[in-house]
Amino acid sequence: MWLPKYSTRLAVLQLLLLQLLWLSPAAAKKDKPEISSHRFDNAPSNFFYFDDSNVVLLHDREGGLVHRSDDAGKSWDKVDIDGGKAWDMWRHPHDNQKAYIMSKGSSTHWHTDDQGKTWKDFEIPKARPSLFRAPLAFHAEDSNKVLIHGEICRIGGLMDCREVTFYTKDGFEKVAKLKENTRGCIFAHATPEFKTGDNDKDDDRVICVTTGRISFDRRQHRLAVSSNFFRDEEEPNLEGDRTVQGIINIAVVKGYIVAAARAPNTDELAMYVTDDASTWHRAVFPSDSRIKEDAYTVLESTSYSIEVDVMTVDPPNPMGVLFTSNSNGTYFTKNIAHTNRNVNGIVDFEKVQNIQGIVLVNVVDNWKEVEGSFGREEKRLKSQISFDDGRTFKDLTADKKSLHLHSVSEMNNVGRVFSSSAPGLVMGVGNTGKSLKPYEEGDLYVSTDAGLTWTQALEEAHKYEFGDQGSILVAIYDEGPTDVIQYSLNYGRKWHKVDLPEGKIKAKALTTTPDSTAMKFFLWGIKGGGSGSEHWVFSIDFEDMHEEKCSDKDFEDWTARVDEDKKAICVMGRKQTYRRRKPDADCFIREKKFEEIEPDFEKCKCTKEDFECDYNFVRSKDGKDCVRDGPLPDPKGVCKGDTKKYRASSGFRKIPGNGCEGGEALDKEVERDCEDTLKPIVSGEINTEKTSFPGKSFRGYYYLERTESSSSSDKASKDETIIMRTDNSKVYITRDHGKSWDQILKDEEIKEIYPHPHFNDVCYFLTSSKTVHYTINRGDTFGHLKTESEPTRDDDLQALSFHADYKDWLIWTGATGCDRKGECHNDAWYSTDRGANWNILQRFVRKCEFIKEEGRGNKEKLVYCAKFKDEKLGGPLELQASDDWFAAPQTKFDSIVDFTTMSEFIIVASKDQTEGGSLKVDASVDGQTFADALFPSNFNVPIQKAYTVLDSHTHAVFLHVTVGDKKDAEYGSIIKSNSNGTSYVLSLNNVNRNTHGYADFEKMLGLEGVALVNIVANVEEAVKGTGKKLKTMITHNDGAEWSLLKAPQNDPEGRSYECKTDNVASCSLHLHGYTERRDPRNVFSSPSAVGLMMAVGNVGEYLTTKSEKTSDTFITRDGGFVWQAVKKGNYMWEYGDQGSIIVIVRDTVATDEIFYSLDEGTEWIPYKFSSKKVNVAILSTVPSDNSLNFLLWGREEDSDSEIVTFNLDFSQLKERSKQCKLDEKNPNSDDSDYYLWEPKHPAQDNHCLFGHIAQYHRKIPERECFNGRSIQHLHNIARHCECTRSDFECDYNYEPAKDGSCKLVDGLEPPDHSRICKEDQNIISYFKPTGYRRVPLSTCKGGNELEKYESKEVPCRGHEIEYENAHRGLSGFWIFILGVVLPVGIASAVGYWVWQNWHGKFGSIRLGGDSRSPFDAEQPWIKYPVAAVAGIVAVLAAVPLLVGSLWRWGMGMVGGGRRYTTRGSFARGRGDYAVVDDDELLGEDEDEEV
C-alpha cells in the first residue's frame, strides 16, 4: 500500500509518543514499594485481615470505634455503628466474610457478612458479653451458627452476675437462650478436623460446662451435651460409667475435644479426651508425671495427636515437660524435658507451618540449678529443633555455631513467630553462643531449609514478615525508633532500605495476610512518647514494582529434608516436596487467589526412626529398645481361667501421623504374661496386717489422700498415704493404708505436723527450732526451709497459716524476744515461695490469716491480723486488714475478741463498750465491708457472753448464743442469719452446750438441710443444780422446724423397749452428741454414703449416761426418719467404699473382733483381727470414705511399751471383686447395680424436700460389687414442688406460735421490705411482709407461698410505670430474705459436701466463755465443723487451655484457732471447732493420746 511521506512521519511520531507514555512516571513500574500512612487518635487494640483478601479491620477500644480498609491499609473509613460503643472485635475463624463487634455493658452488638462493608445490629436479651470467657464460639462448617456467652448482672456488678449462653442458627437474625448458669460452651464441630461421625451431631451438638444441678460451687461443675440446643441434654460419662464433676474447662484441639477436671484439695487435674463427642477417656500420663491447674498448656497440635506441656517448676522461672498423645488422645508419652514457659503458661513451642513434623522449642540448659533454687535462678535457654514431631531434638546451628532464638513466650510481633506458609523459610531473632541473650543483643537470622541451617540476615533485632509466599521478606528495626524499613527479594541474601514517610517511629506490629500470600504489608508504629504520642499505620505495597509474574522456569522442587548428598530423606514416613520460587528469580509469584502451596508426598518404608515407645514403656539405656516402666492395661476377657499368655504391645508404637508403609514392623504385638496386667487376684479373704511401734500413744495421724483428679496410673491409684507421729516424736509414713510403715525424718524431733488444708499433697513438719521440713508430693520426697523465728510458744495458736489457692503462700507466726524477760511476743511473716524468702507482715500479733476463699470474691493478698494495739502486750486487740502485705493497713475494729472465716462469711466478735462488756457480732461477705448483726428483737440476752458459730454452708450463719453459762448447766439458743450474715431469726431455744463452749449441733452430710441437736429439756431445774435432761431433735428444712426422733420398736436383740414408742413426747430416740465425743472425728454421717447415719444413744424420755448397759448403737438409712438398733453397747464406726462396707468396733472395751456389714447395716458379720485383746482408740479410713481399707489404732492389753495398728483390707472379698454398673441414662435398668432414692420430709406425703424432689444414686444393698470411683450421687432434680409450710421459716421480728404459725412479736414493727429496691435497682416491686420468709435452700414454686400469702405487691419508687406495664399478673415473682437481699441460690449438691469439708479451715468458733478445751489434743486443729454442707457461689477461675497463643479477651479490661490433728479433721465434718473468750483464743496444746 502506498502512503504519503507525511503519513510515515506521523506514524513514527505516534510510536515515539507512545513509547514516552510508557516510560512516564504514571505508567512505569516502580523500583521500590509504595508506602502510605494514616494517623489514628488512639492505639489500635486489635486489627486483622480477612483471610484471602486485602480488607483490614482495626479496633480503637479507647475511642470505641472500628475502622475498615479494603486496600491493605492505604485508606480507611469508620465503620457505621453507634459511635463509641465498640468494645471488642472478633473475626470468624472459618468464614472470611464475617466479623463481629461487641459493645460493653449493652445488649446491642453488630455483625457483618461481607467483610465489613455493611453491618447489622443484633441483641443479646437482657445480657452483656461475658467478662469471664471469650464471648463467641463458632461452628466450623455452618458459619451462621454461633454461641454467645453473656452474663446477666444485678446492680453491684461482677460478683452478682449469672452466666447465660445464647445461640443463633441463622446468622443473628434470631438470638435465643441456650442455657443458664453455663461456664463456657462450644460446638463439637468447632474445628474442621473434628467429626463425630454423625452428620446430625456435627450440625448441632453443643457441649457446655455448667454448674451443678443444685449448686454453683465450681467443684460440682459438670459437662452437659445436647444435639438440639438443650431442649434435651445429657451428662456424658467421662470415666467408665461415671460422670465427673469439677470440670473447669473444655476446648477443641484439632480433631479432639479436651475437658479438664479438678477435685478439691489438689492442684492436680484430670484430663478427659474424646474424638467423637460421645465416648470419653481419661488421658493417662506416665506414672511420674502430673498435670496441675494453671500448670499445663495444650499446644499447637495435629489431627493425629495432642501436644501438652506440663509445668514442673513453678514461677517466677517456670519450666515444663512436653508430652505427645497417641492417635485417640488417651495415652501420653514424654518427648522433651525442661521446656521454657512464662508465668502466663505460654510455652516456647512452634511447629514450622505447612511442613509436617518440624518443631522448634527452647529448653532450660541450667535446669538443675533452677529446680534447686525454687525458680529464683535465672534460666539459660537453648534452642532446639525436631524433625520427627518432637520425638528427638537437636541444636540449631548458624555458621557451625549453636544458635538460640527468642520464641513464643516473649512475643515481639503478631502472628506466628518463626514461619509462614512460605515453604522452608524460617526467620528468628537471636544469637549464637552457649545460651540465649536478651532480645536487644540479638540479630535477625533466616533459614531456607526449614531450620536445618541458619544464616545471619541483618544485624540487630528486627520485626519481620513474609509475603508473596516467601519471595518478599520485610523487616524493621526493633530496638528503638527508626525511619526505614528493609526488604529482601532473594530469601534474605540481600536487603534494600526504604524511608518511612512520617519520620522515626517505634514499630509495634508488622503483619500481612494470615497465609503470607499477599504483596501488601501492614505496619503500626508510635511516634514520639508520653501524652504527645502519635499512632501511625502504614501500608507497604509491592504490587507495582517492576518484577514480573513468575513462570514455571522460576520455580524449583524443594525437599523438606535432604542428606549430605542433597538427596531427599524421609520426615514422618514421607518425603515432602514443594514447588517454590528460586532464590535468585527476578519475579513475583503474584498469586491473586491467595492460594497456599500444597506439598507432594512420597511414602517411605518404615524404619526404627518411625517408632516411639508405647504407654508405660521407656527407652532402654542404649536407646535401642523400649522397656516396661509400669503395669500393662488389663486385656478385658482374655486373662481368664488357666490362660497365662496374651498378645499385647511390643513396647513400640508408630509415631502418630507417621505415613510410612512396609519395612520394619516394630509395633507388631508380642506374647506377654497375664501377670503383667493390672488385674488383681481375688482371694475371698479379709487381709490383716499388724504393725508395732515403740511408744505409749499416737500423737496424731494425717491422711494425705489422693483426689479424684490425681494421677490415674496403677501405682498412684493404690496410694493411700498416712503420716503418723508417736509420743516420742518419731514420724512414720505408709503408702498402703498401714500395711507397711517407714520411719521418716529420723534425725529430727518433730513437734507438730501441719497437713495443708487446701492441698492434700502438701504437709509441713515443725521442729522446736527455725527448721521446718515439708513434702509437696504426699511423702515421695522431703525438703526443708528456714523461718525467721522459732514457732509461737502460745499453745492455742497455729504457727502456719495457708492460702486457699496458692500452696506456696505461707504465714508464719513465730516467737520473738523470748530471750528477753517480759518481751516474748509473736510476729507474723509471710512467704510466697514456700519459705525460700520471708518478709515481715505484722509485729505483736495474736494471729494472722489469709482471707481469700471461693465465693467471697476477695483479693488474693487480703490478710487479716489481730494485733495488740500500739504493740503493747495485754492491750486491746485491733483487727487490721491489708491486700498489699500491710504496706497500707486498714483498721477494721479497735477492740475484738477474735475473728473467724466460714464459707462465704467473715465473722468478728468484738466488745461492745456501751453494753457493759457484752459481745457483739459483725459479719462480712467480701472481706471489705462489715455490718452489725441484728439479733431477733424477741431474743433478749442482756449481756452476750459467748457465741459459737455453728455453720454457714447454706448461705446462712447458724449461731449459738449462750443464754445460761452456769457451770454444768450451760445452754443457749440457735439463731439463723440471712444470706449476708447480718440479720437473724430464732431457730431453736435451749440447745445444749458444755463448759468449754461446744454445742450439740451436727449437720447430716450428704443431705441438704438435715441437722440434729440436743436440747436441755429442764432448763429451770438445771440452773438450780439438778443436772441437765437432754433430748435429741432433728430438722429436715435447715432449722425452720424441729421435731423429736421417732424411736425404733425393738432393741438390737429384738425386744421391745420399756416405754411406748408411739408416744414420741415421752419415748423417743436420743443420741450422744458432740459435747460427749472422745474423738471429734466420729461424726454420724458420710457425704459419700447418702442417707446413712450411725449413732450411739438410748430410747426413753431423756438421754441417759453413755455406758455399755444403757446405750445401744443405731443406724438410719433414710436421712433420720426411721432408725434401727443394730448392736448393744457403744461402738465406733467407719464407712468404706461409699457405704457399701460399714465397719464397727467396740469403744472403750478391749476386743479382738470387728463387725462389718455389706448391706447398709441389715446384717453384721464378725471378723477376728487379732489373737490378743486390743484397746482400740481409733477406727479410721480415708476422709472420702471411698476405700476398702480400714485402720485400727490402739494398744494390746498386755503391752505398756508398744502401740499397734491393724490394717483391714476388704478388697479381696468376693462380694467386692467386681465393679458396680451405673447407667446414668437408664438408672433403673434391670442390669444396673443402683436405684434412685428420693428423700422426703416426714410431714409431707410426697417426696418434696426444699421445694423439689431430688433423686440420688444408691447402690442396691444386695448387689455384690464395689462402687470404686466416687459416684456423683445426685442424679437429677426430678421436679420442683408447690410450696408448703416446710419451705418457710419465720421472718425478722416474727416468732413461731404454738400452732406453728409465725406471729409478730408484741410491740415490734414488721421489717421494711422496700429496702430491697435500694439494694437492687433492677427490681421493680416488692411484697409487704407476711411473717414468713423462704428457707434459702427451697426452690418451690406456686402452692402456698407464705411470703406472699395475703400480701400486697407494691411497686418500687421510680418503677411505677414498669410495674404497671410489665409486672402486672406476675404476682410473687420477687422473693425476699429479711428484706435485705434476694436468696443467693440453692446450697451445695448434697452428695458432694465432703469436698468443701476437706478445706478444713472452717468450723465453729466460740466467742466468750470458759477457756478449757475438752480435747487433750496436741494438734489444736481438731476444729469440728458442726456444719458440713458445702454451698458457695464460686467466682470462676477458668484454667486456660492455651492453643498456640494467649486468650485475648481479657486484655481490655484456716480458720483461726487450733492446729491440725489429722487429715480426717477436714472430712465428714471434721474441721475446726475453736474456742475463744474475752481475752484469748482458748484450747490446750497438750498431746492427744489415742
Side-chain angles (χ1 to χ4, degrees), residues 180-338:
E180 292 193 5
N181 298 320
T182 56
R183 297 297 183 264
C185 297
I186 58 171
F187 284 106
H189 194 16
T191 64
E193 296 87 351
F194 190 91
K195 300 284 186 178
T196 65
D198 185 323
N199 290 334
D200 292 336
K201 292 180 180 179
D202 283 342
D203 285 343
D204 294 334
R205 174 153 284 207
V206 176
I207 305 174
C208 292
V209 179
T210 185
T211 56
R213 298 187 188 278
I214 56 172
S215 173
F216 297 106
D217 187 349
R218 75 169 184 154
R219 299 172 187 86
Q220 296 168 32
H221 290 175
R222 57 192 180 90
L223 283 188
V225 181
S226 176
S227 296
N228 56 12
F229 296 100
F230 284 89
R231 290 191 297 274
D232 302 299
E233 68 175 80
E234 64 182 41
E235 184 175 359
N237 295 332
L238 300 188
E239 190 149 342
D241 60 0
R242 306 295 164 87
T243 59
V244 173
Q245 291 191 330
I247 304 296
I248 58 175
N249 212 341
I250 49 174
V252 183
V253 184
K254 294 290 188 178
Y256 309 89
I257 297 176
V258 179
R262 176 192 169 185
N265 292 87
T266 183
D267 56 357
E268 190 173 357
L269 299 182
M271 183 181 293
Y272 298 91
V273 181
T274 180
D275 56 8
D276 62 3
S278 296
T279 303
W280 294 76
H281 301 277
R282 179 167 178 168
V284 179
F285 287 79
S287 55
D288 61 345
S289 302
R290 303 186 306 157
I291 56 174
K292 298 186 293 183
E293 186 171 14
D294 290 324
Y296 75 101
T297 304
V298 180
L299 300 166
E300 180 184 13
S301 300
T302 68
S303 58
Y304 48 79
S305 68
I306 303 173
E307 309 276 1
V308 176
D309 188 86
V310 177
M311 187 169 70
T312 55
V313 174
D314 295 336
N317 288 314
M319 296 189 303
V321 59
L322 179 64
F323 295 91
T324 301
S325 77
N326 60 352
S327 57
N328 66 3
T330 55
Y331 293 113
F332 283 79
T333 53
K334 185 185 299 184
N335 283 348
I336 186 170
H338 321 306

Side-chain angles (χ1 to χ4, degrees), residues 374 745 748-755 762-776 782-792 799-802 810-814 834-836 838:
F374 228 99
L745 305 174
E748 298 290 340
E749 186 175 352
I750 303 302
K751 294 298 184 182
E752 293 178 8
I753 301 180
Y754 282 65
V762 183
C763 190
Y764 290 84
F765 305 82
L766 273 61
T767 66
S768 57
S769 68
K770 297 180 182 180
T771 300
V772 176
H773 300 269
Y774 64 82
T775 177
I776 59 171
F782 292 87
H784 71 275
L785 59 89
K786 291 286 186 178
T787 62
E788 296 294 324
S789 62
E790 296 177 358
T792 175
L800 275 173
S801 179
F802 303 92
L810 305 171
I811 294 177
W812 174 261
T813 302
R834 201 187 312 143
W838 293 97

Side-chain angles (χ1 to χ4, degrees), residues 683-701:
S683 66
E685 302 284 337
I686 299 173
N687 293 324
T688 302
E689 293 287 346
K690 171 188 170 183
T691 307
S692 299
F693 305 89
K696 296 183 178 180
S697 65
F698 298 104
R699 294 301 173 88
Y701 62 92

Side-chain angles (χ1 to χ4, degrees), residues 454-496:
W454 296 75
T455 57
Q456 182 177 310
L458 291 172
E459 292 184 348
E460 313 293 349
H462 287 70
K463 295 187 189 300
Y464 50 88
E465 188 55 274
F466 307 82
D468 196 40
Q469 298 183 19
S471 64
I472 304 172
L473 306 181
V474 178
I476 185 168
Y477 178 70
D478 198 26
E479 296 183 24
T482 183
D483 55 3
V484 299
I485 65 161
Q486 300 190 64
Y487 67 93
S488 173
L489 305 181
N490 58 1
Y491 295 171
R493 297 175 182 176
K494 182 179 179 181
W495 292 83
H496 309 274

Side-chain angles (χ1 to χ4, degrees), residues 1358-1369:
H1359 290 277
E1360 290 84 359
I1361 296 177
E1362 293 176 74
Y1363 172 77
E1364 292 296 328
N1365 293 336
H1367 203 67
R1368 183 175 298 163

Side-chain angles (χ1 to χ4, degrees), residues 398-607:
D399 194 24
K400 298 183 180 180
K401 299 177 183 177
S402 293
L403 175 67
H404 315 288
L405 301 175
H406 293 271
S407 185
V408 187
S409 65
E410 46 176 332
M411 293 281 288
N412 292 289
N413 201 7
V414 296
R416 302 181 71 86
V417 175
F418 300 118
S419 62
S420 72
S421 61
L425 287 182
V426 189
M427 298 177 73
V429 172
N431 59 272
T432 57
K434 292 183 178 180
S435 61
L436 185 63
K437 298 178 181 178
Y439 182 75
E440 292 75 15
E441 298 181 30
D443 301 315
L444 181 62
Y445 288 83
V446 65
S447 172
T448 60
D449 52 12
L452 184 63
T453 60
W454 296 75
T455 57
Q456 182 177 310
L458 291 172
E459 292 184 348
E460 313 293 349
H462 287 70
K463 295 187 189 300
Y464 50 88
E465 188 55 274
F466 307 82
D468 196 40
Q469 298 183 19
S471 64
I472 304 172
L473 306 181
V474 178
I476 185 168
Y477 178 70
D478 198 26
E479 296 183 24
T482 183
D483 55 3
V484 299
I485 65 161
Q486 300 190 64
Y487 67 93
S488 173
L489 305 181
N490 58 1
Y491 295 171
R493 297 175 182 176
K494 182 179 179 181
W495 292 83
H496 309 274
K497 293 184 178 181
V498 182
D499 292 335
L500 291 171
E502 304 298 336
K504 288 191 174 184
I505 64 161
K506 177 64 177 76
K508 303 299 290 184
L510 174 64
T511 188
T512 184
T513 56
D515 56 13
S516 295
T517 59
M519 301 179 67
K520 297 179 180 180
F521 295 78
F522 176 97
L523 171 65
W524 163 39
I526 297 179
K527 184 177 181 180
S531 60
S533 298
E534 299 176 0
H535 300 276
W536 288 89
V537 168
F538 301 87
S539 172
I540 306 170
D541 187 356
F542 287 82
E543 285 191 349
D544 289 335
M545 289 185 65
H546 56 72
E547 282 76 5
E548 300 294 331
K549 180 179 174 63
C550 296
S551 62
D552 188 63
K553 66 180 177 60
D554 296 310
F555 288 87
E556 64 181 357
D557 287 334
W558 174 79
T559 305
R561 286 290 309 278
V562 294
D563 58 19
E564 294 179 354
D565 298 326
K566 305 298 182 182
K567 293 183 178 179
I569 60 177
C570 298
V571 178
M572 294 294 290
R574 301 183 183 95
K575 296 176 182 178
Q576 303 174 51
T577 304
Y578 295 81
R579 291 285 287 174
R580 74 177 187 184
R581 199 200 71 160
K582 296 177 181 177
D584 55 356
D586 188 18
C587 62
F588 287 146
I589 296 175
R590 297 183 183 275
E591 179 57 65
K592 298 295 183 182
K593 296 182 179 179
F594 300 95
E595 292 181 355
E596 298 180 20
I597 301 174
E598 295 293 334
D600 291 326
F601 289 110
E602 178 185 346
K603 290 190 176 182
C604 306
K605 288 187 177 182
C606 296
T607 65

